[in-house]
Amino acid sequence: MIVDIIEATHRNTVGEIPSEHELCSVVMNLELRHLRAVVAVADHGSFTTAAVQLGVSQPALTRTVQQAERILQTQLFDRTSRRVELAESATDFVTAAKRMLFDLGTRNGRRLREGHRSHRRHRPIRRSAASVA
């Protein structure tokens, strides 16, 4: 789905589909912070509310979303002075981004829980000097 957006944008601007190498380099420059920022703004419909939720300043969030738009070479949001709406062409991208973030969160959460359990099993027993004597 990300590739579809990139291909459509690239076809519109250049007139041809980019090579696999070009596609990979574009997608690889997109970081998790970009995905989180775009999803938060899409969910809240507001840069200010999304910034509060993410714990960043509104200007920093705006720059992150603009970076994502530059990397993807497409406008993800239709902005007015009062509202922010997800661009029609970005719907599939946000759906894919949500799925990726969920999958990563689930995997990382599972790893943390498993690591936490195994850490408890192998914790050394602490004894005071009085109990050893």
Side-chain angles (χ1 to χ4, degrees):
M1 287 173 224
I2 294 171
V3 174
D4 292 340
I5 291 173
I6 295 168
E7 285 179 351
T9 303
H10 213 45
R11 257 186 267 127
N12 289 339
T13 57
V14 178
E16 60 186 48
I17 296 174
S19 69
E20 286 182 35
H21 173 72
E22 290 171 319
L23 285 175
C24 289
S25 66
V26 168
V27 173
M28 295 303 287
N29 288 330
L30 201 61
E31 300 173 13
L32 286 176
R33 67 187 178 91
H34 294 116
L35 297 179
R36 287 185 188 111
V38 170
V39 167
V41 174
D43 285 348
H44 294 288
S46 161
F47 279 87
T48 304
T49 308
V52 169
Q53 184 228 350
L54 292 172
V56 299
S57 69
Q58 183 271 324
L61 179 61
T62 299
R63 283 191 302 273
T64 302
V65 169
Q66 288 171 341
Q67 288 171 355
E69 290 176 326
R70 267 194 308 277
I71 291 166
L72 294 170
Q73 300 175 1
T74 191
Q75 187 173 338
L76 298 172
F77 296 98
D78 296 323
R79 300 164 175 88
T80 67
S81 59
R82 299 222 183 259
R83 288 190 308 181
V84 177
E85 293 180 353
L86 188 62
E88 195 174 314
S89 61
T91 305
D92 289 341
F93 172 76
V94 170
T95 301
K98 285 180 180 182
R99 190 176 321 113
M100 284 186 274
L101 290 171
F102 176 80
D103 289 347
L104 287 170
T106 302
R107 286 188 198 129
N108 289 340
R110 189 178 308 124
R111 281 188 202 129
L112 288 174
R113 285 191 303 276
E114 290 169 359
H116 185 66
R117 270 190 245 121
S118 66
H119 176 67
R120 273 196 233 155
R121 273 187 247 139
H122 302 294
R123 188 176 352 178
I125 299 171
R126 293 185 181 179
R127 297 182 183 177
S128 65
S131 67
V132 175

